[in-house]
Amino acid sequence: MRVFQVQGARGVQLAASRPRALCFPASRLFVHCDRFPEEFSIIVTLRVLSVPAKRNEYVFTLMAEESPSVLVGLRYAPNKLHFLFWSQERAGGWQTRVTFPNVSLSDSQWHTLILAVSGQSFSLTVDCSVPKDVLVETPFPASLSVKRANFYLGNRRRRKGVFTGLLRQLVLLPGADATPRICTPMNFKVVTLSVPSVLQDLPAKPASNEVLRYPYETDTKVTLGSRPPCTTQEKAQFWFNASRRGLYLCNGSAWISMLEVKQRLDYVEEHQNLVTNSETMGVEVFTIPRVGLFAATANRYTPPGSAIYKWTDGKFVPYQNIPTYQAQSWKYFTIGKKIFLAVANFEQNDRGQELSVIYKWSRRKEKFVPYQRITTHSARDWEAFVIEGEAFLAVVNHREGNNHNIDSVIYRWNPRTGLFETNQTIPTSGAYDWEFFTIGPYSFLAVANTFNGTSTKIYSHIYIWLSGSFQLFQSILTFGAADWEVFRIGDRVFLAVANSHSYDSGMPAPSNFYAINSSIYELNVTAQMFVKFQDLLTYSALDWEFFSVGDDSFLVVANSFDGFTFSVNSIIYRYCCGRRARLGGCVVVPSRNSPAGSPARRQPLQMLVRVPKVER
């Protein structure tokens, strides 16, 4: 290849004599996942020479080693741009071509193209002008394998169709439409997103004082800057909020959103490695008003006990150390102006007492101090909640000695004594987790039962608050249930259970105790019960967490062991298109490598991941 500088910008011209030399394996890009993204953008900055009629030139292709078919490709013909992809919906598969007509690039000028792909929708933006949208019958495949495939630059593995122009940048960006990220600088034609160092030069100088012009014009006044007043004088005027990239219209009293960028999740990335005191069993993140953001880790060994970290300068730093005894979890809650943090201790203290402790935030000392000690039995979890203005605190007792069938306890706050007092006991079997939630005027409490002494195939129960106590509402068969997670999508209510393993002393051993379905249930209002919505294969799942970014809903599972290794992937699922939730692409959070006999979640090195918010 040769480097040329034209109009103040550098690009490479690819040699046509050895097209196979201009390739690299797809595994260099897709390190952790051998599937092409389901949603993505392709950004190309190029300078096209005059292309003869009936000639096609390939900007790039992705091809399997043993096949002449193009898996993914982009080619240019006179006044047309074609995007190619291989669909496997029918036996043997076939090539699909998406054509964008009236795309004229052969003017010896630099141009930046942004091709955004999402399902059946394909959008092409040239030099940040009005996008061309195409909707086709065949969607881009949701699971396109790139195993043993190679990327070819400027060709399709042969001399015919080699790109003869100059190429400045070629970027594959997984996720949402990249147009908002690109269309910000003044010179749109040579915008820089990922340009090789050899092509980085002085800023390109336009041939004239060019101004980006759309095919329509308007005299409407648009106000920029901070939020202006909206009165009858400003009625029918527009305001553009640059920070949120939103366009608003004044109706005479308030600004009405006309166009606003939505945020979505495309990937997660590692943010901080947090070295903890010892193996970490759980983490509780909370905010103390006017003090800051904190994270409490439940650590196994004493000494040194468990630690509380404070968010400082963009990361968590040690703040306070608290003596604990094989702590399993923390629970942060408030009662009025009082701030509490309860720890579930699994083992006895130095005096042989099995106590879990509630700590209270001291505003004078600016740290947590012991407030109340409660007798527990191998406590796993605390759950705090409020019903009809009264505060409750429920503890999960896992076992007493070798007896797993014991009572877990619900405590009620006594405002006169300022202490928690026993309100109700509920029989549980090796319980791991409480989950409190409300639906309309009704309050529910679900318990995850894990083991009854002989089997993990046992019922976990959902209780409803009636007449001053919790009463059985529904029983669901689970397999070593370790966690319940309730979440809502629109007006639908879901309940997910994390099944950890399948074991029954009276039954033949399965081929794998730990590769087992975890289930999601949905509330059927007519039947007044939760019904199964979906099964998802998990590997000794220990926890579910639900979150949303923009309009998208996600559910992440913490996998811990697949029967062979603790180094397993935990997966983020995205709820798709109003139908069943499914895995969108290969969005995974790899767990840390763990030595045999120690689950990944218990390592003294914890990984904090960041969720970038990509605008679309």
mmCIF file of all heavy atoms in Angstrom, residues 303-347:
data_model
loop_
_atom_site.group_PDB
_atom_site.id
_atom_site.type_symbol
_atom_site.label_atom_id
_atom_site.label_comp_id
_atom_site.label_asym_id
_atom_site.label_seq_id
_atom_site.Cartn_x
_atom_site.Cartn_y
_atom_site.Cartn_z
ATOM 1 N N PRO A 303 -9.524 -11.832 61.829
ATOM 2 C CA PRO A 303 -9.345 -10.551 61.151
ATOM 3 C C PRO A 303 -9.037 -10.753 59.655
ATOM 4 O O PRO A 303 -8.731 -11.868 59.263
ATOM 5 C CB PRO A 303 -8.146 -9.943 61.897
ATOM 6 C CG PRO A 303 -7.380 -11.133 62.387
ATOM 7 C CD PRO A 303 -8.407 -12.179 62.707
ATOM 8 N N PRO A 304 -9.110 -9.690 58.873
ATOM 9 C CA PRO A 304 -9.320 -8.277 59.230
ATOM 10 C C PRO A 304 -10.774 -7.831 59.213
ATOM 11 O O PRO A 304 -11.044 -6.661 59.436
ATOM 12 C CB PRO A 304 -8.532 -7.554 58.143
ATOM 13 C CG PRO A 304 -8.669 -8.436 56.946
ATOM 14 C CD PRO A 304 -8.722 -9.840 57.451
ATOM 15 N N GLY A 305 -11.739 -8.732 58.918
ATOM 16 C CA GLY A 305 -13.132 -8.300 58.904
ATOM 17 C C GLY A 305 -13.556 -7.781 57.549
ATOM 18 O O GLY A 305 -12.959 -8.094 56.519
ATOM 19 N N SER A 306 -14.629 -7.012 57.543
ATOM 20 C CA SER A 306 -15.174 -6.462 56.300
ATOM 21 C C SER A 306 -14.855 -4.976 56.207
ATOM 22 O O SER A 306 -14.549 -4.333 57.209
ATOM 23 C CB SER A 306 -16.683 -6.695 56.232
ATOM 24 O OG SER A 306 -16.982 -8.074 56.223
ATOM 25 N N ALA A 307 -14.965 -4.455 54.994
ATOM 26 C CA ALA A 307 -14.541 -3.074 54.757
ATOM 27 C C ALA A 307 -15.657 -2.268 54.101
ATOM 28 O O ALA A 307 -16.519 -2.802 53.399
ATOM 29 C CB ALA A 307 -13.295 -3.043 53.878
ATOM 30 N N ILE A 308 -15.602 -0.963 54.360
ATOM 31 C CA ILE A 308 -16.477 0.000 53.699
ATOM 32 C C ILE A 308 -15.587 0.935 52.886
ATOM 33 O O ILE A 308 -14.568 1.428 53.392
ATOM 34 C CB ILE A 308 -17.320 0.792 54.715
ATOM 35 C CG1 ILE A 308 -18.218 -0.158 55.503
ATOM 36 C CG2 ILE A 308 -18.160 1.861 54.013
ATOM 37 C CD1 ILE A 308 -18.987 0.516 56.619
ATOM 38 N N TYR A 309 -15.966 1.142 51.636
ATOM 39 C CA TYR A 309 -15.197 1.992 50.731
ATOM 40 C C TYR A 309 -16.027 3.224 50.369
ATOM 41 O O TYR A 309 -17.257 3.161 50.282
ATOM 42 C CB TYR A 309 -14.816 1.235 49.458
ATOM 43 C CG TYR A 309 -14.003 -0.017 49.716
ATOM 44 C CD1 TYR A 309 -14.628 -1.209 50.061
ATOM 45 C CD2 TYR A 309 -12.623 0.000 49.618
ATOM 46 C CE1 TYR A 309 -13.891 -2.363 50.310
ATOM 47 C CE2 TYR A 309 -11.872 -1.139 49.859
ATOM 48 C CZ TYR A 309 -12.514 -2.317 50.207
ATOM 49 O OH TYR A 309 -11.782 -3.452 50.453
ATOM 50 N N LYS A 310 -15.339 4.333 50.135
ATOM 51 C CA LYS A 310 -16.018 5.565 49.735
ATOM 52 C C LYS A 310 -15.554 5.968 48.348
ATOM 53 O O LYS A 310 -14.375 5.842 48.005
ATOM 54 C CB LYS A 310 -15.717 6.697 50.731
ATOM 55 C CG LYS A 310 -16.498 7.990 50.438
ATOM 56 C CD LYS A 310 -16.195 9.077 51.467
ATOM 57 C CE LYS A 310 -17.004 10.330 51.159
ATOM 58 N NZ LYS A 310 -16.712 11.430 52.109
ATOM 59 N N TRP A 311 -16.495 6.454 47.564
ATOM 60 C CA TRP A 311 -16.187 6.897 46.198
ATOM 61 C C TRP A 311 -15.461 8.247 46.254
ATOM 62 O O TRP A 311 -16.006 9.249 46.699
ATOM 63 C CB TRP A 311 -17.481 7.022 45.394
ATOM 64 C CG TRP A 311 -17.280 7.348 43.951
ATOM 65 C CD1 TRP A 311 -17.388 8.571 43.367
ATOM 66 C CD2 TRP A 311 -16.952 6.433 42.905
ATOM 67 N NE1 TRP A 311 -17.159 8.480 42.022
ATOM 68 C CE2 TRP A 311 -16.880 7.175 41.703
ATOM 69 C CE3 TRP A 311 -16.715 5.060 42.857
ATOM 70 C CZ2 TRP A 311 -16.591 6.591 40.472
ATOM 71 C CZ3 TRP A 311 -16.423 4.474 41.641
ATOM 72 C CH2 TRP A 311 -16.361 5.229 40.468
ATOM 73 N N THR A 312 -14.218 8.233 45.811
ATOM 74 C CA THR A 312 -13.381 9.427 45.874
ATOM 75 C C THR A 312 -12.588 9.546 44.578
ATOM 76 O O THR A 312 -11.890 8.601 44.183
ATOM 77 C CB THR A 312 -12.407 9.360 47.066
ATOM 78 O OG1 THR A 312 -13.149 9.120 48.274
ATOM 79 C CG2 THR A 312 -11.624 10.657 47.197
ATOM 80 N N ASP A 313 -12.699 10.691 43.918
ATOM 81 C CA ASP A 313 -11.946 10.968 42.686
ATOM 82 C C ASP A 313 -12.123 9.849 41.652
ATOM 83 O O ASP A 313 -11.164 9.359 41.041
ATOM 84 C CB ASP A 313 -10.449 11.155 42.987
ATOM 85 C CG ASP A 313 -10.188 12.362 43.877
ATOM 86 O OD1 ASP A 313 -10.964 13.330 43.785
ATOM 87 O OD2 ASP A 313 -9.222 12.322 44.668
ATOM 88 N N GLY A 314 -13.373 9.417 41.485
ATOM 89 C CA GLY A 314 -13.674 8.470 40.434
ATOM 90 C C GLY A 314 -13.375 7.025 40.736
ATOM 91 O O GLY A 314 -13.359 6.190 39.818
ATOM 92 N N LYS A 315 -13.147 6.681 42.005
ATOM 93 C CA LYS A 315 -12.896 5.277 42.349
ATOM 94 C C LYS A 315 -13.228 5.071 43.825
ATOM 95 O O LYS A 315 -13.342 6.023 44.605
ATOM 96 C CB LYS A 315 -11.440 4.901 42.075
ATOM 97 C CG LYS A 315 -10.433 5.681 42.909
ATOM 98 C CD LYS A 315 -9.008 5.267 42.565
ATOM 99 C CE LYS A 315 -7.991 6.048 43.398
ATOM 100 N NZ LYS A 315 -6.604 5.646 43.059
ATOM 101 N N PHE A 316 -13.387 3.787 44.216
ATOM 102 C CA PHE A 316 -13.648 3.443 45.610
ATOM 103 C C PHE A 316 -12.317 3.294 46.356
ATOM 104 O O PHE A 316 -11.401 2.603 45.883
ATOM 105 C CB PHE A 316 -14.433 2.136 45.713
ATOM 106 C CG PHE A 316 -15.900 2.300 45.427
ATOM 107 C CD1 PHE A 316 -16.465 1.794 44.264
ATOM 108 C CD2 PHE A 316 -16.727 2.963 46.327
ATOM 109 C CE1 PHE A 316 -17.817 1.931 44.007
ATOM 110 C CE2 PHE A 316 -18.078 3.117 46.075
ATOM 111 C CZ PHE A 316 -18.624 2.603 44.909
ATOM 112 N N VAL A 317 -12.234 3.947 47.530
ATOM 113 C CA VAL A 317 -11.035 3.866 48.366
ATOM 114 C C VAL A 317 -11.456 3.435 49.771
ATOM 115 O O VAL A 317 -12.589 3.694 50.203
ATOM 116 C CB VAL A 317 -10.293 5.225 48.421
ATOM 117 C CG1 VAL A 317 -9.807 5.640 47.036
ATOM 118 C CG2 VAL A 317 -11.192 6.311 49.000
ATOM 119 N N PRO A 318 -10.585 2.731 50.527
ATOM 120 C CA PRO A 318 -10.946 2.266 51.873
ATOM 121 C C PRO A 318 -11.365 3.424 52.777
ATOM 122 O O PRO A 318 -10.753 4.488 52.777
ATOM 123 C CB PRO A 318 -9.658 1.602 52.370
ATOM 124 C CG PRO A 318 -8.934 1.197 51.125
ATOM 125 C CD PRO A 318 -9.233 2.265 50.118
ATOM 126 N N TYR A 319 -12.445 3.186 53.552
ATOM 127 C CA TYR A 319 -12.969 4.230 54.435
ATOM 128 C C TYR A 319 -13.064 3.759 55.883
ATOM 129 O O TYR A 319 -12.669 4.474 56.805
ATOM 130 C CB TYR A 319 -14.345 4.680 53.932
ATOM 131 C CG TYR A 319 -14.952 5.807 54.727
ATOM 132 C CD1 TYR A 319 -14.571 7.120 54.486
ATOM 133 C CD2 TYR A 319 -15.890 5.574 55.726
ATOM 134 C CE1 TYR A 319 -15.117 8.180 55.218
ATOM 135 C CE2 TYR A 319 -16.449 6.610 56.450
ATOM 136 C CZ TYR A 319 -16.052 7.912 56.202
ATOM 137 O OH TYR A 319 -16.591 8.937 56.916
ATOM 138 N N GLN A 320 -13.596 2.528 56.115
ATOM 139 C CA GLN A 320 -13.776 2.029 57.470
ATOM 140 C C GLN A 320 -13.708 0.512 57.463
ATOM 141 O O GLN A 320 -14.175 -0.133 56.518
ATOM 142 C CB GLN A 320 -15.131 2.488 58.042
ATOM 143 C CG GLN A 320 -15.399 2.034 59.477
ATOM 144 C CD GLN A 320 -16.758 2.460 59.986
ATOM 145 O OE1 GLN A 320 -17.503 3.164 59.305
ATOM 146 N NE2 GLN A 320 -17.106 2.029 61.191
ATOM 147 N N ASN A 321 -13.124 -0.055 58.505
ATOM 148 C CA ASN A 321 -13.055 -1.503 58.653
ATOM 149 C C ASN A 321 -13.927 -1.921 59.844
ATOM 150 O O ASN A 321 -13.904 -1.285 60.896
ATOM 151 C CB ASN A 321 -11.620 -1.966 58.864
ATOM 152 C CG ASN A 321 -11.409 -3.386 58.391
ATOM 153 O OD1 ASN A 321 -11.400 -3.645 57.194
ATOM 154 N ND2 ASN A 321 -11.253 -4.311 59.325
ATOM 155 N N ILE A 322 -14.709 -2.997 59.662
ATOM 156 C CA ILE A 322 -15.635 -3.463 60.698
ATOM 157 C C ILE A 322 -15.388 -4.946 60.956
ATOM 158 O O ILE A 322 -15.339 -5.731 60.004
ATOM 159 C CB ILE A 322 -17.098 -3.226 60.269
ATOM 160 C CG1 ILE A 322 -17.380 -1.716 60.182
ATOM 161 C CG2 ILE A 322 -18.068 -3.887 61.236
ATOM 162 C CD1 ILE A 322 -18.790 -1.383 59.739
ATOM 163 N N PRO A 323 -15.250 -5.363 62.226
ATOM 164 C CA PRO A 323 -15.050 -6.790 62.523
ATOM 165 C C PRO A 323 -16.316 -7.587 62.209
ATOM 166 O O PRO A 323 -17.407 -7.260 62.699
ATOM 167 C CB PRO A 323 -14.719 -6.801 64.022
ATOM 168 C CG PRO A 323 -15.302 -5.526 64.550
ATOM 169 C CD PRO A 323 -15.197 -4.529 63.450
ATOM 170 N N THR A 324 -16.184 -8.618 61.379
ATOM 171 C CA THR A 324 -17.296 -9.497 61.030
ATOM 172 C C THR A 324 -16.808 -10.936 61.087
ATOM 173 O O THR A 324 -15.602 -11.201 61.153
ATOM 174 C CB THR A 324 -17.837 -9.176 59.626
ATOM 175 O OG1 THR A 324 -16.753 -9.222 58.677
ATOM 176 C CG2 THR A 324 -18.476 -7.798 59.585
ATOM 177 N N TYR A 325 -17.761 -11.871 61.020
ATOM 178 C CA TYR A 325 -17.438 -13.287 61.182
ATOM 179 C C TYR A 325 -18.047 -14.072 60.017
ATOM 180 O O TYR A 325 -19.198 -14.456 60.046
ATOM 181 C CB TYR A 325 -17.948 -13.788 62.538
ATOM 182 C CG TYR A 325 -17.329 -13.008 63.683
ATOM 183 C CD1 TYR A 325 -17.921 -11.827 64.133
ATOM 184 C CD2 TYR A 325 -16.132 -13.422 64.261
ATOM 185 C CE1 TYR A 325 -17.337 -11.080 65.150
ATOM 186 C CE2 TYR A 325 -15.547 -12.688 65.281
ATOM 187 C CZ TYR A 325 -16.145 -11.518 65.714
ATOM 188 O OH TYR A 325 -15.547 -10.782 66.715
ATOM 189 N N GLN A 326 -17.210 -14.252 59.003
ATOM 190 C CA GLN A 326 -17.628 -14.847 57.730
ATOM 191 C C GLN A 326 -18.900 -14.159 57.242
ATOM 192 O O GLN A 326 -19.928 -14.789 57.000
ATOM 193 C CB GLN A 326 -17.838 -16.360 57.843
ATOM 194 C CG GLN A 326 -17.850 -17.042 56.478
ATOM 195 C CD GLN A 326 -17.795 -18.553 56.559
ATOM 196 O OE1 GLN A 326 -17.186 -19.104 57.457
ATOM 197 N NE2 GLN A 326 -18.418 -19.235 55.607
ATOM 198 N N ALA A 327 -18.792 -12.874 57.073
ATOM 199 C CA ALA A 327 -19.943 -12.069 56.649
ATOM 200 C C ALA A 327 -20.442 -12.536 55.281
ATOM 201 O O ALA A 327 -19.658 -12.829 54.375
ATOM 202 C CB ALA A 327 -19.560 -10.595 56.592
ATOM 203 N N GLN A 328 -21.772 -12.596 55.146
ATOM 204 C CA GLN A 328 -22.393 -13.030 53.898
ATOM 205 C C GLN A 328 -22.959 -11.870 53.085
ATOM 206 O O GLN A 328 -22.928 -11.891 51.858
ATOM 207 C CB GLN A 328 -23.522 -14.021 54.202
ATOM 208 C CG GLN A 328 -23.073 -15.260 54.930
ATOM 209 C CD GLN A 328 -22.159 -16.118 54.079
ATOM 210 O OE1 GLN A 328 -22.547 -16.607 53.026
ATOM 211 N NE2 GLN A 328 -20.928 -16.297 54.540
ATOM 212 N N SER A 329 -23.479 -10.859 53.768
ATOM 213 C CA SER A 329 -24.089 -9.744 53.051
ATOM 214 C C SER A 329 -24.278 -8.562 53.987
ATOM 215 O O SER A 329 -24.230 -8.697 55.213
ATOM 216 C CB SER A 329 -25.453 -10.159 52.459
ATOM 217 O OG SER A 329 -26.362 -10.474 53.498
ATOM 218 N N TRP A 330 -24.466 -7.389 53.390
ATOM 219 C CA TRP A 330 -24.797 -6.157 54.097
ATOM 220 C C TRP A 330 -26.160 -5.671 53.607
ATOM 221 O O TRP A 330 -26.545 -5.929 52.458
ATOM 222 C CB TRP A 330 -23.777 -5.059 53.824
ATOM 223 C CG TRP A 330 -22.433 -5.227 54.480
ATOM 224 C CD1 TRP A 330 -21.307 -5.718 53.904
ATOM 225 C CD2 TRP A 330 -22.080 -4.870 55.820
ATOM 226 N NE1 TRP A 330 -20.257 -5.700 54.795
ATOM 227 C CE2 TRP A 330 -20.711 -5.178 55.989
ATOM 228 C CE3 TRP A 330 -22.778 -4.327 56.891
ATOM 229 C CZ2 TRP A 330 -20.034 -4.961 57.165
ATOM 230 C CZ3 TRP A 330 -22.107 -4.103 58.078
ATOM 231 C CH2 TRP A 330 -20.745 -4.420 58.211
ATOM 232 N N LYS A 331 -26.883 -4.927 54.446
ATOM 233 C CA LYS A 331 -28.121 -4.287 54.020
ATOM 234 C C LYS A 331 -28.172 -2.872 54.579
ATOM 235 O O LYS A 331 -28.098 -2.655 55.790
ATOM 236 C CB LYS A 331 -29.342 -5.076 54.516
ATOM 237 C CG LYS A 331 -30.656 -4.527 53.970
ATOM 238 C CD LYS A 331 -30.710 -4.624 52.449
ATOM 239 C CE LYS A 331 -31.989 -4.050 51.873
ATOM 240 N NZ LYS A 331 -32.027 -4.164 50.398
ATOM 241 N N TYR A 332 -28.282 -1.899 53.678
ATOM 242 C CA TYR A 332 -28.384 -0.484 54.047
ATOM 243 C C TYR A 332 -29.855 -0.081 54.063
ATOM 244 O O TYR A 332 -30.626 -0.440 53.171
ATOM 245 C CB TYR A 332 -27.622 0.366 53.029
ATOM 246 C CG TYR A 332 -27.814 1.859 53.187
ATOM 247 C CD1 TYR A 332 -27.037 2.583 54.070
ATOM 248 C CD2 TYR A 332 -28.768 2.538 52.428
ATOM 249 C CE1 TYR A 332 -27.204 3.960 54.211
ATOM 250 C CE2 TYR A 332 -28.943 3.902 52.556
ATOM 251 C CZ TYR A 332 -28.158 4.609 53.449
ATOM 252 O OH TYR A 332 -28.324 5.964 53.580
ATOM 253 N N PHE A 333 -30.284 0.640 55.100
ATOM 254 C CA PHE A 333 -31.662 1.114 55.154
ATOM 255 C C PHE A 333 -31.737 2.317 56.090
ATOM 256 O O PHE A 333 -30.803 2.606 56.852
ATOM 257 C CB PHE A 333 -32.613 -0.001 55.628
ATOM 258 C CG PHE A 333 -32.324 -0.527 57.009
ATOM 259 C CD1 PHE A 333 -33.029 -0.064 58.114
ATOM 260 C CD2 PHE A 333 -31.352 -1.503 57.208
ATOM 261 C CE1 PHE A 333 -32.777 -0.561 59.380
ATOM 262 C CE2 PHE A 333 -31.086 -2.005 58.474
ATOM 263 C CZ PHE A 333 -31.793 -1.536 59.565
ATOM 264 N N THR A 334 -32.844 3.025 56.026
ATOM 265 C CA THR A 334 -33.047 4.205 56.867
ATOM 266 C C THR A 334 -34.407 4.103 57.553
ATOM 267 O O THR A 334 -35.351 3.499 57.025
ATOM 268 C CB THR A 334 -32.989 5.503 56.043
ATOM 269 O OG1 THR A 334 -34.025 5.476 55.054
ATOM 270 C CG2 THR A 334 -31.642 5.647 55.345
ATOM 271 N N ILE A 335 -34.489 4.697 58.733
ATOM 272 C CA ILE A 335 -35.757 4.848 59.450
ATOM 273 C C ILE A 335 -35.804 6.302 59.899
ATOM 274 O O ILE A 335 -35.071 6.711 60.802
ATOM 275 C CB ILE A 335 -35.851 3.903 60.664
ATOM 276 C CG1 ILE A 335 -35.761 2.440 60.202
ATOM 277 C CG2 ILE A 335 -37.145 4.135 61.428
ATOM 278 C CD1 ILE A 335 -35.769 1.440 61.345
ATOM 279 N N GLY A 336 -36.660 7.079 59.243
ATOM 280 C CA GLY A 336 -36.656 8.517 59.512
ATOM 281 C C GLY A 336 -35.312 9.106 59.115
ATOM 282 O O GLY A 336 -34.843 8.917 57.994
ATOM 283 N N LYS A 337 -34.670 9.799 60.068
ATOM 284 C CA LYS A 337 -33.354 10.374 59.807
ATOM 285 C C LYS A 337 -32.217 9.436 60.205
ATOM 286 O O LYS A 337 -31.048 9.768 60.006
ATOM 287 C CB LYS A 337 -33.215 11.705 60.560
ATOM 288 C CG LYS A 337 -34.184 12.784 60.080
ATOM 289 C CD LYS A 337 -33.951 14.097 60.829
ATOM 290 C CE LYS A 337 -34.887 15.181 60.326
ATOM 291 N NZ LYS A 337 -34.668 16.473 61.041
ATOM 292 N N LYS A 338 -32.559 8.290 60.764
ATOM 293 C CA LYS A 338 -31.538 7.334 61.201
ATOM 294 C C LYS A 338 -31.075 6.496 60.013
ATOM 295 O O LYS A 338 -31.883 6.057 59.191
ATOM 296 C CB LYS A 338 -32.068 6.419 62.311
ATOM 297 C CG LYS A 338 -32.482 7.148 63.586
ATOM 298 C CD LYS A 338 -32.983 6.157 64.625
ATOM 299 C CE LYS A 338 -33.320 6.833 65.943
ATOM 300 N NZ LYS A 338 -34.464 7.768 65.802
ATOM 301 N N ILE A 339 -29.764 6.264 59.957
ATOM 302 C CA ILE A 339 -29.149 5.502 58.867
ATOM 303 C C ILE A 339 -28.519 4.244 59.456
ATOM 304 O O ILE A 339 -27.718 4.323 60.394
ATOM 305 C CB ILE A 339 -28.094 6.350 58.130
ATOM 306 C CG1 ILE A 339 -28.766 7.566 57.477
ATOM 307 C CG2 ILE A 339 -27.352 5.525 57.091
ATOM 308 C CD1 ILE A 339 -27.791 8.557 56.880
ATOM 309 N N PHE A 340 -28.873 3.078 58.886
ATOM 310 C CA PHE A 340 -28.404 1.808 59.433
ATOM 311 C C PHE A 340 -27.713 0.974 58.357
ATOM 312 O O PHE A 340 -27.965 1.120 57.155
ATOM 313 C CB PHE A 340 -29.570 1.005 60.014
ATOM 314 C CG PHE A 340 -30.254 1.653 61.178
ATOM 315 C CD1 PHE A 340 -31.433 2.363 61.000
ATOM 316 C CD2 PHE A 340 -29.724 1.558 62.457
ATOM 317 C CE1 PHE A 340 -32.086 2.963 62.070
ATOM 318 C CE2 PHE A 340 -30.359 2.158 63.540
ATOM 319 C CZ PHE A 340 -31.538 2.860 63.341
ATOM 320 N N LEU A 341 -26.865 0.056 58.828
ATOM 321 C CA LEU A 341 -26.188 -0.911 57.965
ATOM 322 C C LEU A 341 -26.108 -2.228 58.746
ATOM 323 O O LEU A 341 -25.451 -2.294 59.795
ATOM 324 C CB LEU A 341 -24.789 -0.419 57.584
ATOM 325 C CG LEU A 341 -24.055 -1.214 56.503
ATOM 326 C CD1 LEU A 341 -24.807 -1.150 55.174
ATOM 327 C CD2 LEU A 341 -22.633 -0.661 56.313
ATOM 328 N N ALA A 342 -26.801 -3.265 58.266
ATOM 329 C CA ALA A 342 -26.858 -4.552 58.974
ATOM 330 C C ALA A 342 -25.996 -5.577 58.253
ATOM 331 O O ALA A 342 -26.032 -5.673 57.022
ATOM 332 C CB ALA A 342 -28.297 -5.045 59.062
ATOM 333 N N VAL A 343 -25.231 -6.359 59.024
ATOM 334 C CA VAL A 343 -24.381 -7.407 58.462
ATOM 335 C C VAL A 343 -24.924 -8.771 58.887
ATOM 336 O O VAL A 343 -25.365 -8.961 60.027
ATOM 337 C CB VAL A 343 -22.915 -7.252 58.906
ATOM 338 C CG1 VAL A 343 -22.754 -7.397 60.409
ATOM 339 C CG2 VAL A 343 -22.022 -8.254 58.170
ATOM 340 N N ALA A 344 -24.930 -9.710 57.941
ATOM 341 C CA ALA A 344 -25.333 -11.094 58.228
ATOM 342 C C ALA A 344 -24.070 -11.919 58.450
ATOM 343 O O ALA A 344 -23.329 -12.193 57.513
ATOM 344 C CB ALA A 344 -26.146 -11.656 57.064
ATOM 345 N N ASN A 345 -23.812 -12.294 59.712
ATOM 346 C CA ASN A 345 -22.642 -13.107 60.059
ATOM 347 C C ASN A 345 -23.006 -14.593 59.999
ATOM 348 O O ASN A 345 -24.040 -15.013 60.518
ATOM 349 C CB ASN A 345 -22.142 -12.753 61.460
ATOM 350 C CG ASN A 345 -21.385 -11.444 61.482
ATOM 351 O OD1 ASN A 345 -20.644 -11.123 60.556
ATOM 352 N ND2 ASN A 345 -21.584 -10.652 62.534
ATOM 353 N N PHE A 346 -22.128 -15.374 59.406
ATOM 354 C CA PHE A 346 -22.397 -16.793 59.216
ATOM 355 C C PHE A 346 -21.813 -17.654 60.338
ATOM 356 O O PHE A 346 -22.295 -18.749 60.594
ATOM 357 C CB PHE A 346 -21.815 -17.237 57.866
ATOM 358 C CG PHE A 346 -22.292 -18.575 57.398
ATOM 359 C CD1 PHE A 346 -23.561 -18.727 56.869
ATOM 360 C CD2 PHE A 346 -21.475 -19.689 57.473
ATOM 361 C CE1 PHE A 346 -24.004 -19.964 56.419
ATOM 362 C CE2 PHE A 346 -21.910 -20.929 57.040
ATOM 363 C CZ PHE A 346 -23.190 -21.068 56.505
ATOM 364 N N GLU A 347 -20.778 -17.144 61.028
ATOM 365 C CA GLU A 347 -20.095 -17.933 62.053
ATOM 366 C C GLU A 347 -20.174 -17.245 63.415
ATOM 367 O O GLU A 347 -20.567 -16.083 63.539
ATOM 368 C CB GLU A 347 -18.626 -18.148 61.665
ATOM 369 C CG GLU A 347 -18.437 -19.101 60.502
ATOM 370 C CD GLU A 347 -16.960 -19.383 60.243
ATOM 371 O OE1 GLU A 347 -16.113 -18.614 60.756
ATOM 372 O OE2 GLU A 347 -16.652 -20.349 59.527
#
